[in-house]
Amino acid sequence: MRLQIEDVLCTFCGCLCDDIKVEVNEGRIERVRGACRLGSSKIMGHNRIKSPMIRVNGTLKETSYEDAYRKAAEILVSAKHPLLYGWASTTCEALKKGIILAEEIGGVVDTTATVCHGPSIIGIEEKGLVGSTLGQIKNRADLIVFWGCNPSEAHPRHTLRYSSNASGRFIPEGRKDRKVLVIDVRETRTARNADRFLRIQPGTDYEIISALRMIIGGKAESLPEDVAGVSKKELIEIAEMMKSAKFGAIFFGLGLTHSRGRYKNVDNALSLVSELNSHTKFVIMAMRGHYNVTGAGQVLAWSSGYPMAVDYARGAPYYNPGETSCCDLLSRRDVDAALIIASDPASNLPRGCVEALAEMPVIQIDPFENPTTLFADVVIPSAIAGIEVEGTAYRMDGLSLRLRKLVDAEYPGDVEILQAILDNVRRLRDDN
Amino acid sequence: MAVMISGRTLAQGAGCEDKMSPLYINEVSCCYLSEEDYRALGLSDGMNLLLTSPHGSAVLRAGVDRGLPQGMVFIPMGPWANMLTGTDTKGCGMPGFKGVEVEVTPTDEKVLDIRELMLRGR
Ligand code: SF4
């Protein structure tokens, strides 16, 4: 039977586009319309992990789900301090289950945010955020600033749906009614489509933000003629561009969080925005990458009080980024087993951390093989959330959206898998 | 000496959930340079680069990105860029994925296959 499903959500990036059309024939997705290249490649699907596997004498061997659950539970129960990492590409419901598991085994729950917008969250905790929804920006913003982000490649439909090229209630002409400013260290595709591009030196975001804050605060005369390679004249023009907007919006990316200054860059940018609000309306938003990385932070925050890197080893949630975050735990060899779900730390962490991961027992829950599979001792294939199972995810602006199930799955969902591991953990504990 | 920046690209994203595919692997094992630096190093199609940072080294294919200034190289985020990044998070959980100082030299060595790269030294 052929089915046309409308208003499908794309579970790839933080835009969570909710206007995708999917054609399903005989229980298989045949066509995707309206998604970008990234979204289509995800929704159309590709090679899956076929069966659960357990590593025996260095080689992964197929096994049953029951054996994989039991082996995973054994690893977790015998670990002193296990890490439960990932969560950005699955549902809020899965993380809720993961938190219960972490509490019972005294583990650490960390999300991929710590190597993404984690520093932004720390900056927001320190300073507070002048935020908005994407809808407000689409309908009102006449100045869009992309700072250290490149939506043309990382969030391909962002500009069309929510920002520079979107038409809105008070921005009827779309791109013509808006100015676009890009601040970056390289001329990206996004920069090539801007009205103005400010190229800065790597690692100088903090200085540039501080200079703009001084100009906006009326202290331009104290600035040197050149700030980190940018002329004072150019900075004054940029500050004027910001002040003269009716409604300005800064979207910032990993350009701020991955470079020198890290969360302090974000902290400073938040101050810039709050000061701009003495002159006009300005808002700021992090360009969150994975579709539910925002939701993962929300669930952890409402369950434990902390947004990421939560350690349950003490019997109560403990949070200290730099100590309880994935990268630090691994490089200090402070964890002795890992459950990796909906993420691929082997590709995304520095080599030193990957080596640490390779030395410990690793359980992987994922629909797809990836470099983490090369180190995994137990591999549990799962259904794809938003395609094969339903659930909740949060868009980059903090709006929660319901993911639907489009086709039947041959695999259990993440919630079911985590529950089964939890049941096995409890059983093992009872036996002891 | 150059400054290495890593980040997302369209092809990296399209292969992101299919990481063992040639699409993803080709994209993330490429190091982009400015036209000037590409010429100054005497590079041409199909040539490789050895990148060395204080944290490690890797061989990548060389490509041109006209948006890059001289002295900066760009690697799509992934296992190759991460061979060069350190684990120090300066107390906030985030390693330095951008702004890593690297030595860039042309090489005859081949780009490793993903399995060889990940299991290197093991
Ligand atoms: S922009 Fe993001 S959410 Fe929208 S279709 Fe592309 S990948 Fe999916």
Side-chain angles (χ1 to χ4, degrees), chain A residues 10-17 20 34-39 154-158 161:
Chain A
C10 169
T11 51
F12 187 93
C13 84
C15 287
L16 271 180
C17 293
I20 314 295
C36 70
R37 182 174 165 198
L38 310 185
H155 301 86
R157 295 184 74 220
H158 189 279
R161 296 201 79 214

Side-chain angles (χ1 to χ4, degrees), chain A residues 265-287:
Chain A
N265 294 334
V266 177
D267 180 322
N268 212 10
L270 297 168
S271 297
L272 169 67
V273 169
S274 98
E275 285 154 19
L276 277 163
N277 276 284
S278 312
H279 301 273
T280 182
K281 175 70 190 163
F282 237 89
V283 298
I284 182 163
M285 192 180 297
M287 289 287 243

Side-chain angles (χ1 to χ4, degrees), chain A residues 1 7 50 58 84 100 176-177 221 258 265 267 276:
Chain A
M1 194 179 61
D7 300 331
K50 291 192 179 59
L84 290 79
I100 298 170
K176 273 198 233 133
D177 286 344
E221 73 285 352
H258 276 179
N265 294 334
D267 180 322
L276 277 163

